[in-house]
Amino acid sequence: MKLALALGTALALPLVIALPSQAENPAQVQQLLTTNLCAGCDLSGADLTQAHLIGADLSGANLSGANLTEANLEGADLSGANLEGANLSQAFLTNALLNNAVLDDANLTEARIYFAEVAGSSWLNANLTGTEIVGTPISIGGD
């Protein structure tokens, strides 16, 4: 009996370790979706696909690895937010505040970035393939 339990535990342990984990705080995800206010929240790894976050306060939030595919972030405050490795493909970022935000390794494929504020933000290795950038001072490539 003990041998069977030990064997079962040994076989199941790699499966538990291999399971993906989400770091986001479910209560904070719900808070964001309900109130549009989540400054400083931990939303890392959160699935916010097609979320309507118009004018949301996400300043200082941790959105690393979050899925914001097709999210509407028009007028959202993402100042100082960590968006490292986030998926913002086809996201709408008109008038968004991205000052001092980290977008390193973020996927912004086919996103629309119009008249966004980006002073002090970091875009190392961000994927901007097919992204429409209008009235936003983002430099691409070179020194």
Side-chain angles (χ1 to χ4, degrees):
M1 180 71 161
K2 288 182 182 181
L3 179 61
L5 182 59
L7 183 58
T9 302
L11 292 174
L13 187 58
L15 295 175
V16 172
I17 292 171
L19 289 175
S21 62
Q22 290 185 322
E24 91 270 8
N25 181 325
Q28 290 180 344
V29 171
Q30 188 59 42
Q31 172 187 332
L32 171 63
L33 296 175
T34 303
T35 68
N36 245 13
L37 302 171
C38 213
C41 288
D42 181 6
L43 303 167
S44 56
D47 185 2
L48 297 166
T49 302
Q50 297 181 339
H52 293 276
L53 302 171
I54 299 167
D57 183 356
L58 289 160
S59 56
N62 182 3
L63 290 149
S64 62
N67 187 356
L68 291 150
T69 301
E70 296 181 9
N72 188 340
L73 293 157
E74 181 177 356
D77 185 353
L78 293 153
S79 300
N82 179 4
L83 292 148
E84 186 172 355
N87 186 354
L88 291 143
S89 59
Q90 299 180 8
F92 192 63
L93 293 155
T94 295
N95 298 314
L97 302 176
L98 291 160
N99 297 320
N100 301 307
V102 177
L103 291 111
D104 298 347
D105 299 309
N107 179 6
L108 290 114
T109 303
E110 297 181 9
R112 291 168 307 263
I113 305 171
Y114 305 144
F115 306 100
E117 293 184 24
V118 296
S121 59
S122 177
W123 298 74
L124 295 173
N125 299 314
N127 184 348
L128 298 169
T129 304
T131 299
E132 291 180 28
I133 303 170
V134 177
T136 302
I138 297 174
S139 299
I140 311 233
D143 290 299

